[in-house]
Amino acid sequence: MIHIAGVDEAGRGPLAGPVTVAAVILDPTHPIAGLNDSKQLSERKREALYPLILERALAWRIEFVEADEIDRLNILQATLTGMQRALEGLAITPQHALIDGNRIPNHLPCPATAIIGGDASEPAISAASILAKVSRDRRMLELHAHYPHYGFDRHKGYPSAAHRAALLTHGPCPEHRRSYAPVRALLQTRGPG
């Protein structure tokens, strides 16, 4: 059996929290119905598929690249680093990786193919997309418990009007990405948060 890993991320655009990357090797003898790009699925459907993927996949790995590392590397490099770590962290070394998007990280443990829109066309990438999205949403709920005045439970760190207003009122917290323009501009006018 050839082991093919699907890889995808969630959370490149938010002003706060990690970018989350998942890698999944599906078991062709235990198919999972309903896999799709996580953005095309309701939260309820993603939450229902999440445990099925963990249970039925041959291997899976979820990596969080935190805000300080995003600031240090930039979001593209942080995402590619997360992809590399996720693939290296799989319990089974894949023979090939299918990566959502148009970039392939360096130094992977196997050859890889980038597929634009792969999260909607390749089941292994769809599964990775769901693991990444659900895991990141759960992390943002945890962060909400620590920093409730930002509303991370609602916008998950994305630059909504409510998030921008909270940022203006309270300044950034340690989970905000200081390299992102709205946070950087605020720090320049207010000083460190």
Side-chain angles (χ1 to χ4, degrees):
M1 178 189 303
I2 296 174
H3 295 129
I4 297 175
V7 183
D8 201 6
E9 53 70 30
R12 286 180 67 162
L15 304 179
V19 64
T20 306
V21 180
V24 179
I25 300 174
L26 291 175
D27 183 348
T29 67
H30 291 88
I32 302 167
L35 292 177
N36 197 354
D37 172 9
S38 65
K39 295 181 290 298
Q40 304 299 319
L41 300 171
S42 67
E43 181 178 359
R44 197 166 150 205
K45 184 67 173 165
R46 289 192 302 265
E47 286 285 349
L49 286 166
Y50 185 91
L52 289 177
I53 296 165
L54 299 187
E55 179 187 312
R56 295 186 191 173
L58 292 173
W60 56 270
R61 178 74 176 203
I62 299 163
E63 287 287 331
F64 295 96
V65 183
E66 304 297 342
D68 60 340
E69 192 168 8
I70 293 168
D71 288 338
R72 208 166 55 247
L73 296 176
N74 78 45
I75 187 59
L76 174 60
Q77 291 308 314
T79 302
L80 295 175
T81 297
M83 290 177 171
Q84 178 188 351
R85 288 180 192 158
L87 283 167
E88 289 173 348
L90 286 168
I92 298 169
T93 302
Q95 275 93 24
H96 198 86
L98 302 176
I99 297 175
D100 186 57
N102 61 359
R103 298 285 184 104
I104 297 173
N106 296 321
H107 314 297
L108 294 181
C110 63
T113 304
I115 302 174
I116 294 171
D119 48 3
S121 63
E122 290 289 339
I125 300 176
S126 298
S129 162
I130 292 163
L131 291 191
K133 172 71 172 145
V134 171
S135 298
R136 186 178 190 284
D137 284 356
R138 290 177 179 179
R139 171 66 71 85
M140 295 312 291
L141 291 176
E142 291 170 11
L143 293 179
H144 175 72
H146 293 282
Y147 308 102
H149 41 280
Y150 293 102
F152 291 149
D153 60 328
R154 295 186 308 280
H155 53 65
K156 309 298 190 282
Y158 282 89
S160 68
H163 188 188
R164 287 174 179 264
L167 201 49
L168 279 172
T169 303
H170 303 288
C173 76
E175 298 298 330
H176 279 97
R177 302 173 183 179
R178 277 134 174 83
S179 58
Y180 277 46
V183 181
R184 191 173 61 239
L186 188 65
L187 287 169
Q188 287 168 348
T189 60
R190 292 174 56 135

